[in-house]
Amino acid sequence: MEVQIAAAKTNKYAVLESGDTLEVVERPNGGLSVVLADGQTSGRGAKAVSMLVVRKVISLLAEGVRDGAAARAASDSLYTDKKGKVISTLNIISVDLETGTVVLTRNNPAPFFIAREERIDCIASASSPLGASRNVRPVISEIPIEAGLTLVVYTDGLVHAGERTGQPMDVEISLKAMLEGQDPAPQEIADALLNEAVHLDDGRPVDDISVVVLRVLKRRGDDVRRMTVRVPISVKG
Amino acid sequence: MEVQIAAAKTNKYAVLESGDTLEVVERPNGGLSVVLADGQTSGRGAKAVSMLVVRKVISLLAEGVRDGAAARAASDSLYTDKKGKVISTLNIISVDLETGTVVLTRNNPAPFFIAREERIDCIASASSPLGASRNVRPVISEIPIEAGLTLVVYTDGLVHAGERTGQPMDVEISLKAMLEGQDPAPQEIADALLNEAVHLDDGRPVDDISVVVLRVLKRRGDDVRRMTVRVPISVKG
């Protein structure tokens, strides 16, 4: 099999820096984890918060700490640092080759989607962000790694897209249409959802938006790991 | 402008795990860093070493520590941990938006290439791996961020490719041919170099090979950050 992950990320309109942080890291016992955090508010302050959370999580995962424990630790750390006044959402998607499962750890009111072939489930159980209090617990879903699996995880910019114009986005309908189509690449799915959200916000996103799509597929081609990153930049000074 | 980064990575023949570790992280003051380490020997032991080095470096970069200082700290940390008996190479490629430069930090006897349009420079100054002694210093190159810049960095699997069969690889000639062609995407360059190396090793790489290509281009298209990762997996149990 092979795992393909794609992410697409954009900033709130007229804000230079996204408050979302997304990193992909290798797990010490095999596999990899995608860590996505959305810090409260937007711009530099939110970015500092989401980076703090992501750093904490990836340093714990690197030590072999389990995902749920890493999420709790990041929550306590944020709570201690900001005295409960600043919150952050967190999603961890781990492909754990030791257990043969995908583990989804979620401290985010925004739901996520699991699709197996063309059946789509929306996981929308109540889930609190990190940092609001002591005893914040993540909601954890664990599913076997199998070919045909698609996961879609996002920050609340996607949830709120279109609300201003009275045309809220329906992620499930969009995803269903894509999965019924021509076996889309994860990057096509992520880009299409992001583009739809930006379009519903009239080209001026009301919040930072990040979309992550993970697909498990039958092995196609060689044994080479590949990664590409594309970042628009403006050089200061 | 925009930055495009691509990586291609394969394992030594018949070894399950690559001893190379590669991560891409955001810099706290803007921009991003690619961190690549190659731990001594191959398989699990080498992987643990290269992960240790990469984790140390990215945690320091996240705190705002400069790249050279992070490399020295990782060396001292490895030296202390392994008593000077295990070494690791390290390359850090940072797109630093604060200074408007690309900073290349190198503790790796393998050279790297800087191409501006079609002019190619091979940077092959003497450079020692981390962990062999106290006082290991990185070799640092700093160049302005400008459209048309291409950087190619790799681990020694590429250097030694073909030596067994008496046909050593000439990275510069291959790179030159590609850059004279049709404006190749970074992933095409990384894949072509990796494929050539594997071919010269008769399809059985004598060492782990990682190739990283970074290009700075005029802005093409939208303001969306994108990332894709492709990982072949075998589920245990």
Side-chain angles (χ1 to χ4, degrees):
Chain A
M1 288 186 283
E2 64 180 67
V3 174
Q4 295 183 0
I5 300 166
K9 226 172 143 226
T10 196
N11 307 352
K12 179 175 173 174
Y13 179 68
V15 171
L16 263 175
E17 192 153 33
S18 169
D20 297 352
T21 296
L22 170 73
E23 307 229 332
V24 179
V25 293
E26 287 190 63
R27 295 176 70 80
N29 299 313
L32 68 170
S33 294
V34 184
V35 184
L36 173 64
D38 176 4
Q40 195 171 15
T41 74
S42 58
R44 283 200 81 79
K47 182 68 192 180
V49 170
S50 65
M51 278 191 92
L52 178 84
V53 167
V54 170
R55 292 302 169 192
K56 186 79 191 166
V57 170
I58 64 180
S59 74
L60 291 168
L61 295 182
E63 291 168 17
V65 172
R66 277 170 297 168
D67 298 27
R72 287 171 193 229
S75 184
D76 290 347
S77 181
L78 181 62
Y79 180 81
T80 304
D81 202 46
K82 305 289 184 188
K83 301 181 176 60
K85 288 178 186 148
V86 178
I87 58 172
S88 173
T89 69
L90 172 70
N91 290 87
I92 310 173
I93 313 166
S94 292
V95 178
D96 187 338
L97 298 181
E98 263 197 324
T99 57
T101 56
V102 180
V103 182
L104 292 121
T105 302
R106 173 171 155 259
N107 281 103
N108 188 353
F112 68 88
F113 289 89
I114 302 176
R116 294 178 187 83
E117 304 298 344
E118 287 172 16
R119 184 185 144 202
I120 299 178
D121 294 311
C122 176
I123 312 298
S125 47
S127 171
S128 314
L130 306 183
S133 67
R134 289 271 174 204
N135 300 317
V136 168
R137 284 156 188 252
V139 178
I140 295 182
S141 314
E142 190 166 1
I143 48 180
I145 298 174
E146 55 186 18
L149 185 68
T150 302
L151 301 167
V152 180
V153 172
Y154 44 85
T155 57
D156 67 350
L158 201 72
V159 177
H160 299 308
E163 285 181 352
R164 188 179 52 188
T165 56
Q167 302 171 293
M169 180 151 175
D170 190 324
V171 178
E172 186 161 355
I173 286 180
S174 304
L175 184 59
K176 198 166 176 13
M178 277 183 280
L179 290 176
E180 282 170 356
Q182 293 294 316
D183 189 23
Q187 190 72 64
E188 292 176 78
I189 299 175
D191 281 353
L193 293 174
L194 184 73
N195 286 341
E196 185 181 346
V198 171
H199 182 74
L200 290 172
D201 278 340
D202 290 330
R204 290 168 294 151
V206 294
D207 195 0
D208 307 315
I209 307 174
S210 301
V211 184
V212 178
V213 178
L214 182 146
R215 298 199 83 184
V216 181
L217 302 163
K218 285 189 188 137
R219 182 77 67 93
R220 301 172 177 187
D222 57 22
D223 289 334
V224 177
R225 283 184 175 226
R226 295 193 173 79
M227 177 171 56
T228 65
V229 178
R230 185 256 183 189
V231 184
I233 59 168
S234 323
V235 176
K236 293 167 196 164
Chain B
M1 289 187 284
E2 63 181 69
V3 174
Q4 295 183 0
I5 299 167
K9 226 172 143 226
T10 196
N11 306 353
K12 177 175 174 173
Y13 179 68
V15 172
L16 263 175
E17 192 152 33
S18 170
D20 297 352
T21 296
L22 170 74
E23 307 230 332
V24 179
V25 293
E26 287 192 64
R27 296 176 69 80
N29 298 312
L32 68 168
S33 294
V34 184
V35 184
L36 173 64
D38 175 5
Q40 195 171 14
T41 74
S42 58
R44 283 199 81 80
K47 183 67 189 178
V49 169
S50 65
M51 279 190 93
L52 178 86
V53 166
V54 169
R55 293 302 170 190
K56 187 76 191 169
V57 169
I58 65 181
S59 75
L60 290 169
L61 295 181
E63 291 169 16
V65 172
R66 277 170 297 168
D67 298 26
R72 287 173 194 227
S75 184
D76 289 348
S77 182
L78 181 62
Y79 180 82
T80 303
D81 202 45
K82 304 290 182 187
K83 302 183 176 60
K85 288 178 187 148
V86 178
I87 59 173
S88 172
T89 69
L90 171 70
N91 290 88
I92 311 172
I93 313 167
S94 293
V95 178
D96 186 339
L97 298 181
E98 263 196 326
T99 57
T101 57
V102 180
V103 181
L104 291 121
T105 301
R106 173 171 155 259
N107 280 104
N108 188 352
F112 69 88
F113 289 89
I114 302 176
R116 293 177 186 84
E117 304 298 344
E118 288 171 15
R119 185 185 142 200
I120 299 177
D121 294 309
C122 176
I123 312 298
S125 45
S127 172
S128 313
L130 307 182
S133 67
R134 288 274 175 203
N135 300 317
V136 168
R137 285 156 188 252
V139 178
I140 295 181
S141 315
E142 190 167 2
I143 48 181
I145 298 174
E146 57 186 17
L149 186 68
T150 302
L151 301 168
V152 179
V153 171
Y154 44 84
T155 56
D156 67 351
L158 202 71
V159 177
H160 299 307
E163 285 181 353
R164 188 180 50 188
T165 55
Q167 302 171 294
M169 179 150 175
D170 189 326
V171 178
E172 187 163 356
I173 286 180
S174 304
L175 185 59
K176 197 167 179 6
M178 277 183 278
L179 291 176
E180 282 170 355
Q182 294 294 317
D183 189 21
Q187 190 72 64
E188 292 176 76
I189 299 175
D191 281 354
L193 292 174
L194 184 72
N195 286 341
E196 185 181 346
V198 172
H199 181 74
L200 289 173
D201 277 340
D202 290 329
R204 291 168 293 150
V206 293
D207 195 0
D208 306 316
I209 307 175
S210 301
V211 184
V212 179
V213 178
L214 182 146
R215 298 198 81 185
V216 181
L217 302 163
K218 285 190 187 136
R219 182 75 70 93
R220 301 170 177 188
D222 58 23
D223 289 334
V224 177
R225 281 183 176 228
R226 293 192 175 80
M227 178 171 55
T228 66
V229 178
R230 185 260 183 186
V231 184
I233 58 168
S234 323
V235 176
K236 294 167 199 167

